[in-house]
Amino acid sequence: MMGIDKQKAIKKRWRIRESTLFLIALIGGSFGSILGMRVFHHKTKHWYFVCGMPLIFILQIVMFIIMIRK
């Protein structure tokens, strides 16, 4: 999704909402979002993406660990 949004930004076309990018991260795409940010150099100047995506990823890891321990 980061790659698609980056291409749309370059071509000055309709963009993917930031809330949609965060929703995708929340439902399990946080690692891919972080990877996409790095590979496509997209959203790397926005502090809420630079901090938010890793935070979501860490929370997902913690939740996973809690779930497998029960």
Side-chain angles (χ1 to χ4, degrees):
M1 295 302 287
M2 290 292 183
I4 292 169
D5 192 48
K6 178 70 174 196
Q7 288 303 312
K8 288 182 176 202
I10 291 169
K11 294 178 181 179
K12 307 272 193 247
R13 300 189 74 201
W14 173 84
R15 306 276 303 278
I16 298 169
R17 292 182 181 182
E18 291 181 346
S19 60
T20 303
L21 295 173
F22 272 106
L23 180 62
I24 290 166
L26 283 170
I27 60 173
S30 58
F31 181 73
S33 294
I34 294 167
L35 191 60
M37 286 173 61
R38 300 294 173 215
V39 169
F40 299 109
H41 305 285
H42 191 53
K43 301 289 186 189
T44 56
K45 293 183 180 180
H46 299 276
W47 67 268
Y48 43 91
F49 275 91
V50 173
C51 297
M53 292 299 173
L55 181 62
I56 292 169
F57 184 59
I58 291 167
L59 289 173
Q60 288 173 339
I61 290 171
V62 169
M63 288 174 50
F64 177 75
I65 291 169
I66 291 170
M67 287 174 45
I68 62 170
R69 286 188 172 198
K70 289 188 176 189

